[in-house]
Amino acid sequence: VNSPAFADATPVQLPETQATALRVVSKYNLINQDNGALVSLAWTTPIPNGGPVERYLVAYWPQSDEECLQQGTETNCRSYQEFSTVFKGTAGTITGLRPATNYFFVVFSGNLNGFERVGSPILGPVETSMLPGAVTGLQVTSITDTSLTLEWRNPANPVPSKMRLEYLVIETGVLIQEEVSCTTPYATCPSTKVWTGLSAAFSYRFFIYTGGPNDPEVDLSVTETYTGLVSVEGAPYETPPAPAALTLESWSDFTVTLLLSSPLADAAGGPVSELFLEGRASLSADWAPTS
């Protein structure tokens, strides 16, 4: 590798042993960042020849720059930049990468005198993760005695291609799951969900996972294709008991005065915060709120 990073390295007692080929350990993305992709790499070093091996330098560059250099036209490669990161051990995480972008990687053995110039076999192209970040703004927007509505904002870079929606009944530990696919050209992942069939006798925790395509370079036992877990708690409201019967106290040409008793306390019902009164004409079927 002809790299300016090693042009001034002192060749005295440099390591003569190259690190073995790099391998990908895991890949993931930070939430909603243009350069939020990370790639964790690992490598090994045989018994060293020459100077001791005390550190490693991982150089990397995007495939677009590699293709540019292969064209042999300097004007097309003015944006070329090789990046490098130094690690003390035989593993490290490269940060600041673009999601869903191909990169090449190579590692050099080194010590305080510099780095050997051959390097490991080049690893690449490696596509950074297409797994999205988490949804944001998850909140409960409406509640009834048997249902609950959630709303949220989906990540944009990259967008999810699937989602898993769950809720946990806190008192019983029962977990309900629903998976949604958003992979077709005209499909977008939902940003709202109405859970029905709930009970006012229980409380719930609601979960949303965003997901991307399976990554053939990473063992699923190491990194899930569902990421971005967000959760919120909520419960259906408890309907209060009905008020007691109305009693007519007085009337005039334009007004009617009614008496009613507050609803009795009911352990199975919720507290009473408001009362709504409606009326209708005797020959009408339509009820209307009264002022």
Side-chain angles (χ1 to χ4, degrees), residues 3 19-20 24 39 76 117-118 152 157 161 179 184 189 193-194 198 208 229 265:
S3 169
T20 60
V24 176
V39 175
N76 292 337
R117 298 172 180 268
V118 177
W152 62 87
N157 183 27
S161 61
E179 296 202 15
T184 63
C189 281
K193 170 64 179 177
V194 179
L198 307 181
I208 298 180
L229 169 64

PDB file of all heavy atoms in Angstrom, residues 3 19-20 24 39 76 117-118 152 157 161 179 184 189 193-194 198 208 229 265:
ATOM      1  N   SER A   3       1.083   4.629   0.841  1.00  0.00           N
ATOM      2  CA  SER A   3       0.300   5.559   1.620  1.00  0.00           C
ATOM      3  C   SER A   3       1.179   6.659   2.174  1.00  0.00           C
ATOM      4  O   SER A   3       2.270   6.388   2.685  1.00  0.00           O
ATOM      5  CB  SER A   3      -0.399   4.839   2.772  1.00  0.00           C
ATOM      6  OG  SER A   3      -0.937   5.787   3.661  1.00  0.00           O
ATOM      7  N   ALA A  19       0.168  -8.221  10.125  1.00  0.00           N
ATOM      8  CA  ALA A  19      -1.018  -8.751  10.792  1.00  0.00           C
ATOM      9  C   ALA A  19      -1.805  -9.602   9.803  1.00  0.00           C
ATOM     10  O   ALA A  19      -1.704  -9.442   8.586  1.00  0.00           O
ATOM     11  CB  ALA A  19      -1.888  -7.607  11.315  1.00  0.00           C
ATOM     12  N   THR A  20      -2.563 -10.531  10.348  1.00  0.00           N
ATOM     13  CA  THR A  20      -3.380 -11.382   9.492  1.00  0.00           C
ATOM     14  C   THR A  20      -4.537 -10.570   8.909  1.00  0.00           C
ATOM     15  O   THR A  20      -4.772  -9.426   9.280  1.00  0.00           O
ATOM     16  CB  THR A  20      -3.949 -12.559  10.291  1.00  0.00           C
ATOM     17  OG1 THR A  20      -4.754 -12.042  11.362  1.00  0.00           O
ATOM     18  CG2 THR A  20      -2.838 -13.405  10.854  1.00  0.00           C
ATOM     19  N   VAL A  24     -14.614  -8.842  10.036  1.00  0.00           N
ATOM     20  CA  VAL A  24     -15.656  -7.989  10.609  1.00  0.00           C
ATOM     21  C   VAL A  24     -16.246  -8.678  11.829  1.00  0.00           C
ATOM     22  O   VAL A  24     -16.631  -9.849  11.769  1.00  0.00           O
ATOM     23  CB  VAL A  24     -16.759  -7.701   9.576  1.00  0.00           C
ATOM     24  CG1 VAL A  24     -17.893  -6.897  10.206  1.00  0.00           C
ATOM     25  CG2 VAL A  24     -16.173  -6.954   8.380  1.00  0.00           C
ATOM     26  N   VAL A  39     -17.840   0.196  12.256  1.00  0.00           N
ATOM     27  CA  VAL A  39     -17.448  -1.166  11.907  1.00  0.00           C
ATOM     28  C   VAL A  39     -16.405  -1.626  12.915  1.00  0.00           C
ATOM     29  O   VAL A  39     -15.363  -0.975  13.074  1.00  0.00           O
ATOM     30  CB  VAL A  39     -16.877  -1.259  10.480  1.00  0.00           C
ATOM     31  CG1 VAL A  39     -16.356  -2.670  10.202  1.00  0.00           C
ATOM     32  CG2 VAL A  39     -17.927  -0.877   9.449  1.00  0.00           C
ATOM     33  N   ASN A  76      -9.959  13.368 -11.302  1.00  0.00           N
ATOM     34  CA  ASN A  76     -11.127  12.723 -10.713  1.00  0.00           C
ATOM     35  C   ASN A  76     -10.886  12.308  -9.268  1.00  0.00           C
ATOM     36  O   ASN A  76     -11.804  11.876  -8.594  1.00  0.00           O
ATOM     37  CB  ASN A  76     -11.533  11.491 -11.522  1.00  0.00           C
ATOM     38  CG  ASN A  76     -12.074  11.872 -12.890  1.00  0.00           C
ATOM     39  OD1 ASN A  76     -12.532  12.994 -13.075  1.00  0.00           O
ATOM     40  ND2 ASN A  76     -11.996  10.955 -13.832  1.00  0.00           N
ATOM     41  N   ARG A 117       5.556  -1.619   6.219  1.00  0.00           N
ATOM     42  CA  ARG A 117       4.995  -0.991   5.039  1.00  0.00           C
ATOM     43  C   ARG A 117       4.135  -1.921   4.195  1.00  0.00           C
ATOM     44  O   ARG A 117       3.478  -1.463   3.266  1.00  0.00           O
ATOM     45  CB  ARG A 117       6.123  -0.419   4.172  1.00  0.00           C
ATOM     46  CG  ARG A 117       6.914   0.666   4.873  1.00  0.00           C
ATOM     47  CD  ARG A 117       8.131   1.061   4.043  1.00  0.00           C
ATOM     48  NE  ARG A 117       8.907   2.108   4.704  1.00  0.00           N
ATOM     49  CZ  ARG A 117       8.731   3.413   4.513  1.00  0.00           C
ATOM     50  NH1 ARG A 117       7.793   3.816   3.672  1.00  0.00           N
ATOM     51  NH2 ARG A 117       9.472   4.300   5.141  1.00  0.00           N
ATOM     52  N   VAL A 118       4.132  -3.209   4.495  1.00  0.00           N
ATOM     53  CA  VAL A 118       3.406  -4.139   3.631  1.00  0.00           C
ATOM     54  C   VAL A 118       1.936  -4.189   4.002  1.00  0.00           C
ATOM     55  O   VAL A 118       1.047  -4.060   3.164  1.00  0.00           O
ATOM     56  CB  VAL A 118       4.037  -5.547   3.684  1.00  0.00           C
ATOM     57  CG1 VAL A 118       3.229  -6.524   2.837  1.00  0.00           C
ATOM     58  CG2 VAL A 118       5.486  -5.478   3.214  1.00  0.00           C
ATOM     59  N   TRP A 152     -45.151   8.156  16.517  1.00  0.00           N
ATOM     60  CA  TRP A 152     -43.704   8.348  16.591  1.00  0.00           C
ATOM     61  C   TRP A 152     -43.196   8.861  15.255  1.00  0.00           C
ATOM     62  O   TRP A 152     -43.928   8.938  14.272  1.00  0.00           O
ATOM     63  CB  TRP A 152     -43.012   7.030  16.965  1.00  0.00           C
ATOM     64  CG  TRP A 152     -43.226   5.937  15.956  1.00  0.00           C
ATOM     65  CD1 TRP A 152     -42.490   5.673  14.824  1.00  0.00           C
ATOM     66  CD2 TRP A 152     -44.270   4.955  15.971  1.00  0.00           C
ATOM     67  NE1 TRP A 152     -42.997   4.604  14.143  1.00  0.00           N
ATOM     68  CE2 TRP A 152     -44.090   4.143  14.825  1.00  0.00           C
ATOM     69  CE3 TRP A 152     -45.328   4.689  16.835  1.00  0.00           C
ATOM     70  CZ2 TRP A 152     -44.939   3.073  14.542  1.00  0.00           C
ATOM     71  CZ3 TRP A 152     -46.167   3.627  16.537  1.00  0.00           C
ATOM     72  CH2 TRP A 152     -45.968   2.839  15.406  1.00  0.00           C
ATOM     73  N   ASN A 157     -32.029   8.100   8.085  1.00  0.00           N
ATOM     74  CA  ASN A 157     -30.732   7.811   7.476  1.00  0.00           C
ATOM     75  C   ASN A 157     -30.021   6.689   8.235  1.00  0.00           C
ATOM     76  O   ASN A 157     -29.318   6.950   9.190  1.00  0.00           O
ATOM     77  CB  ASN A 157     -29.844   9.053   7.469  1.00  0.00           C
ATOM     78  CG  ASN A 157     -28.512   8.794   6.775  1.00  0.00           C
ATOM     79  OD1 ASN A 157     -28.402   7.936   5.911  1.00  0.00           O
ATOM     80  ND2 ASN A 157     -27.495   9.524   7.179  1.00  0.00           N
ATOM     81  N   SER A 161     -36.467  -0.907   6.959  1.00  0.00           N
ATOM     82  CA  SER A 161     -37.168  -1.736   5.975  1.00  0.00           C
ATOM     83  C   SER A 161     -38.132  -2.701   6.659  1.00  0.00           C
ATOM     84  O   SER A 161     -38.863  -3.416   5.984  1.00  0.00           O
ATOM     85  CB  SER A 161     -36.164  -2.513   5.128  1.00  0.00           C
ATOM     86  OG  SER A 161     -35.384  -3.378   5.934  1.00  0.00           O
ATOM     87  N   GLU A 179     -45.027  -7.967  13.434  1.00  0.00           N
ATOM     88  CA  GLU A 179     -43.955  -7.540  12.538  1.00  0.00           C
ATOM     89  C   GLU A 179     -44.544  -6.893  11.289  1.00  0.00           C
ATOM     90  O   GLU A 179     -45.562  -7.340  10.762  1.00  0.00           O
ATOM     91  CB  GLU A 179     -43.056  -8.720  12.156  1.00  0.00           C
ATOM     92  CG  GLU A 179     -42.332  -9.309  13.352  1.00  0.00           C
ATOM     93  CD  GLU A 179     -41.076 -10.079  12.961  1.00  0.00           C
ATOM     94  OE1 GLU A 179     -40.624  -9.918  11.808  1.00  0.00           O
ATOM     95  OE2 GLU A 179     -40.573 -10.822  13.810  1.00  0.00           O
ATOM     96  N   THR A 184     -41.158  -2.945  -0.054  1.00  0.00           N
ATOM     97  CA  THR A 184     -41.561  -2.689  -1.429  1.00  0.00           C
ATOM     98  C   THR A 184     -41.310  -1.223  -1.775  1.00  0.00           C
ATOM     99  O   THR A 184     -41.242  -0.366  -0.887  1.00  0.00           O
ATOM    100  CB  THR A 184     -43.052  -3.011  -1.635  1.00  0.00           C
ATOM    101  OG1 THR A 184     -43.828  -2.134  -0.807  1.00  0.00           O
ATOM    102  CG2 THR A 184     -43.353  -4.449  -1.250  1.00  0.00           C
ATOM    103  N   CYS A 189     -42.724   2.508   6.380  1.00  0.00           N
ATOM    104  CA  CYS A 189     -43.025   1.966   7.699  1.00  0.00           C
ATOM    105  C   CYS A 189     -44.009   2.887   8.417  1.00  0.00           C
ATOM    106  O   CYS A 189     -43.972   4.112   8.260  1.00  0.00           O
ATOM    107  CB  CYS A 189     -41.744   1.837   8.517  1.00  0.00           C
ATOM    108  SG  CYS A 189     -40.765   0.381   8.066  1.00  0.00           S
ATOM    109  N   LYS A 193     -49.734   3.404  15.626  1.00  0.00           N
ATOM    110  CA  LYS A 193     -50.251   2.070  15.881  1.00  0.00           C
ATOM    111  C   LYS A 193     -51.368   2.161  16.918  1.00  0.00           C
ATOM    112  O   LYS A 193     -51.209   2.800  17.965  1.00  0.00           O
ATOM    113  CB  LYS A 193     -49.146   1.143  16.385  1.00  0.00           C
ATOM    114  CG  LYS A 193     -49.630  -0.207  16.902  1.00  0.00           C
ATOM    115  CD  LYS A 193     -50.283  -1.050  15.818  1.00  0.00           C
ATOM    116  CE  LYS A 193     -50.727  -2.410  16.354  1.00  0.00           C
ATOM    117  NZ  LYS A 193     -51.427  -3.210  15.328  1.00  0.00           N
ATOM    118  N   VAL A 194     -52.495   1.491  16.617  1.00  0.00           N
ATOM    119  CA  VAL A 194     -53.599   1.388  17.575  1.00  0.00           C
ATOM    120  C   VAL A 194     -53.624  -0.038  18.109  1.00  0.00           C
ATOM    121  O   VAL A 194     -53.858  -0.988  17.355  1.00  0.00           O
ATOM    122  CB  VAL A 194     -54.952   1.744  16.920  1.00  0.00           C
ATOM    123  CG1 VAL A 194     -56.075   1.609  17.952  1.00  0.00           C
ATOM    124  CG2 VAL A 194     -54.924   3.149  16.338  1.00  0.00           C
ATOM    125  N   LEU A 198     -57.275  -4.279  24.817  1.00  0.00           N
ATOM    126  CA  LEU A 198     -56.593  -4.089  26.096  1.00  0.00           C
ATOM    127  C   LEU A 198     -57.616  -4.059  27.226  1.00  0.00           C
ATOM    128  O   LEU A 198     -58.822  -3.997  26.996  1.00  0.00           O
ATOM    129  CB  LEU A 198     -55.780  -2.799  26.062  1.00  0.00           C
ATOM    130  CG  LEU A 198     -54.805  -2.646  24.895  1.00  0.00           C
ATOM    131  CD1 LEU A 198     -54.058  -1.326  24.999  1.00  0.00           C
ATOM    132  CD2 LEU A 198     -53.837  -3.812  24.825  1.00  0.00           C
ATOM    133  N   ILE A 208     -41.037  -0.506  20.291  1.00  0.00           N
ATOM    134  CA  ILE A 208     -40.903  -0.387  18.844  1.00  0.00           C
ATOM    135  C   ILE A 208     -39.455  -0.641  18.465  1.00  0.00           C
ATOM    136  O   ILE A 208     -38.540   0.018  18.973  1.00  0.00           O
ATOM    137  CB  ILE A 208     -41.343   1.002  18.339  1.00  0.00           C
ATOM    138  CG1 ILE A 208     -42.816   1.232  18.647  1.00  0.00           C
ATOM    139  CG2 ILE A 208     -41.082   1.137  16.837  1.00  0.00           C
ATOM    140  CD1 ILE A 208     -43.329   2.572  18.180  1.00  0.00           C
ATOM    141  N   LEU A 229     -34.352   0.093  19.766  1.00  0.00           N
ATOM    142  CA  LEU A 229     -35.460  -0.157  20.679  1.00  0.00           C
ATOM    143  C   LEU A 229     -35.886   1.132  21.396  1.00  0.00           C
ATOM    144  O   LEU A 229     -35.061   1.856  21.946  1.00  0.00           O
ATOM    145  CB  LEU A 229     -35.050  -1.205  21.713  1.00  0.00           C
ATOM    146  CG  LEU A 229     -36.000  -1.399  22.899  1.00  0.00           C
ATOM    147  CD1 LEU A 229     -37.346  -1.912  22.425  1.00  0.00           C
ATOM    148  CD2 LEU A 229     -35.388  -2.343  23.912  1.00  0.00           C
ATOM    149  N   ALA A 265     -68.621   5.963  44.551  1.00  0.00           N
ATOM    150  CA  ALA A 265     -67.261   5.427  44.395  1.00  0.00           C
ATOM    151  C   ALA A 265     -67.336   3.967  43.986  1.00  0.00           C
ATOM    152  O   ALA A 265     -68.154   3.206  44.493  1.00  0.00           O
ATOM    153  CB  ALA A 265     -66.496   5.578  45.703  1.00  0.00           C
TER     154      ALA A 265
END
